[in-house]
């Protein structure tokens, strides 16, 4: 099969199909080499010029799900992050949870006084005598990136809060402002953020330490990755601030309230344990 074909990204952009990218994304699911090779061969048979990345993903996901639900769950991580919407609040809770497991004390959606006006901060994180302000930019549309306007806006807010913070005695030092997105930053956004001193965190930035890398490294998968929970059940859990699969390992309270059978509950627990183990 000729793999030198054009595929259509979710943004509408036309790019060359990359066998390497498909292999890498399948490998990150935890599937063994034989499974990855087998799925790639089947996907290659169904490629055609102009196929969408969504079609390729759906086919690979279906094949991976047959091999193991937890493998398919990890493979759908990027899509699962989008499913934390439509509001940005569950995403803020998710970012807060990741920071907690990295040793931070966190607060979500707090009002802070600036020199000029008051600001609602998505996540306030404290660690080692330092306070960090985290602003989350959640997109529900795939292919929509954060342009330079986002760090420009957030830098001005951080500057206003810091001016007030530094004018009064504090127990911690206001160290940095973060911008976190579930998509990607444009080149201008990265250039400006680095220049002004903002820390930028996206799906794949910084390299080897982006959002996906951190989630895989810490085993902190959102409940939306589950292939066994229904959309209604996921929304029920999110509405009660349960955003991590890990939150359900030792606490069956919420699963009990979903009104599901013991057999199905056992399968969900098994999937979650497989996802979160290292």
């Amino acid at each position: 099969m000729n793999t030198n074909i054009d595929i259509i990204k979710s943004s509408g952009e036309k790019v060359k199909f990359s066998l390497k990218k498909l292999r890498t994304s399948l490998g990150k699911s935890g599937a063994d080499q034989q499974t990855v090779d087998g799925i790639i061969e089947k996907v290659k048979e169904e490629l055609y010029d102009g196929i969408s990345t969504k079609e390729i993903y759906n086919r690979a996901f279906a094949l991976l799900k047959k091999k193991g639900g937890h493998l398919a769950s990890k493979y759908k991580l990027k899509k699962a992050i989008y499913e934390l919407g439509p509001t940005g609040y569950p995403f803020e809770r998710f970012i807060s949870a990741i920071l907690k497991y990295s040793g931070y004390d966190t607060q979500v959606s707090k009002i802070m006084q600036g020199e000029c006006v008051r600001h609602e901060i998505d996540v306030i994180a404290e660690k080692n005598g330092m306070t960090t302000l985290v602003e989350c930019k959640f997109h529900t549309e795939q292919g929509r990136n954060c342009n330079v306007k986002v760090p420009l806006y957030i830098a001005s807010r951080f500057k206003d809060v810091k001016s007030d913070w530094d004018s009064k005695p504090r127990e911690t030092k206001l160290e940095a402002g973060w911008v976190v997105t579930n998509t990607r930053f444009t080149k201008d956004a990265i250039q400006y953020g680095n220049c002004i001193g903002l820390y930028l965190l996206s799906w794949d930035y910084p390299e080897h330490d982006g959002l996906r890398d951190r989630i895989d490294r810490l085993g902190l998968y959102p409940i939306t990755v589950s292939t066994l929970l229904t959309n209604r059940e996921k929304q029920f859990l999110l509405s009660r601030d349960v955003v991590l699969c890990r939150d359900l390992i030792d606490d069956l309270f919420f699963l009990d309230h979903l009104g599901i059978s013991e057999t199905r509950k056992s399968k969900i627990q098994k999937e979650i344990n497989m996802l979160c183990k290292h």
Side-chain angles (χ1 to χ4, degrees):
M1 168 66 198
N2 177 25
T3 56
N4 184 30
I5 61 169
D6 291 324
I7 61 174
I8 309 300
K9 298 175 67 174
S10 53
S11 62
E13 180 187 0
K14 184 182 291 187
V15 297
K16 288 295 181 183
F17 170 72
S18 173
L19 197 61
K20 181 180 179 181
K21 286 184 178 180
L22 178 59
R23 184 178 295 278
T24 299
S25 62
L26 286 168
K28 286 186 176 180
S29 72
D32 59 47
Q33 192 62 52
Q34 184 178 356
T35 297
V36 170
D37 289 342
I39 291 175
I40 285 177
E41 286 306 311
K42 290 180 180 178
V43 170
K44 281 167 62 178
E45 293 173 2
E46 299 177 22
L47 292 175
Y48 58 88
D49 202 45
I51 190 173
S52 68
T53 53
K54 183 178 180 179
E55 288 179 85
I56 296 173
Y57 162 82
N58 286 340
R59 182 55 177 151
F61 175 79
L63 292 168
L64 199 55
K65 190 175 180 181
K66 291 180 179 179
K67 294 293 183 179
H70 69 288
L71 300 177
S73 294
K74 287 187 179 182
Y75 183 67
K76 71 165 285 190
L77 178 58
K78 188 174 185 178
K79 182 181 178 184
I81 299 295
Y82 283 102
E83 291 175 6
L84 287 171
T87 70
Y89 186 67
F91 183 63
E92 294 168 18
R93 300 284 301 183
F94 180 60
I95 296 303
S96 173
I98 289 177
L99 289 172
K100 277 185 179 179
Y101 276 88
S102 297
Y104 289 87
D105 291 322
T106 64
Q107 302 177 71
V108 179
S109 296
K110 294 295 180 180
I111 302 296
M112 294 188 71
Q113 182 63 52
E115 183 179 25
C116 302
V117 296
R118 287 154 62 86
H119 303 270
E120 183 176 359
I121 307 299
D122 292 336
V123 183
I124 302 173
E126 295 181 4
K127 184 179 181 181
N128 299 329
M130 297 292 193
T131 295
T132 299
L133 307 186
V134 182
E135 288 297 293
C136 301
K137 191 63 177 177
F138 179 79
H139 291 295
T140 56
E141 302 170 30
Q142 295 193 40
R144 185 179 176 189
N145 296 335
C146 279
N147 61 30
V148 70
K149 293 179 182 179
V150 174
L152 271 167
Y153 169 64
I154 292 173
S156 66
R157 298 184 72 212
F158 177 74
K159 181 181 179 182
D160 189 39
V161 172
K162 185 168 174 57
S163 293
D164 180 78
W165 185 279
D166 291 344
S167 69
K168 300 177 178 66
R170 306 285 184 178
E171 293 183 0
T172 63
K173 181 180 178 182
L174 189 56
E175 176 191 31
W178 285 29
V179 187
V180 183
T181 182
N182 61 314
T183 55
R184 291 183 168 91
F185 293 107
T186 63
K187 289 182 179 179
D188 281 350
I190 292 174
Q191 184 175 343
Y192 179 78
N194 289 335
C195 179
I196 204 70
L198 289 173
Y199 181 80
L200 304 183
L201 177 64
S202 72
W203 174 250
D204 57 0
Y205 184 87
E207 189 176 3
H208 305 308
D209 198 29
L211 199 52
R212 169 152 205 166
D213 298 301
R214 292 177 183 228
I215 294 168
D216 285 335
R217 186 166 64 241
L218 297 170
L220 300 179
Y221 297 95
I223 58 165
T224 45
V225 300
S226 174
T227 60
L228 298 178
L229 289 167
T230 66
N231 288 334
R232 183 192 66 81
E233 290 164 349
K234 290 173 185 177
Q235 288 304 314
F236 171 86
L237 293 169
L238 289 174
S239 70
R240 285 151 181 80
D241 292 336
V242 180
V243 293
L244 296 178
C245 288
R246 187 176 293 275
D247 292 339
L248 296 174
I249 291 180
D250 299 316
D251 189 352
L252 301 181
F253 174 82
F254 289 107
L255 284 183
D256 289 338
H257 280 68
L258 287 176
I260 58 180
S261 68
E262 289 299 319
T263 299
R264 187 158 170 262
K265 188 191 301 182
S266 177
K267 289 180 179 179
I268 292 170
Q269 283 181 271
K270 182 178 179 181
E271 178 191 41
I272 289 171
N273 285 325
M274 291 290 287
L275 272 171
C276 297
K277 75 175 185 179
H278 281 71

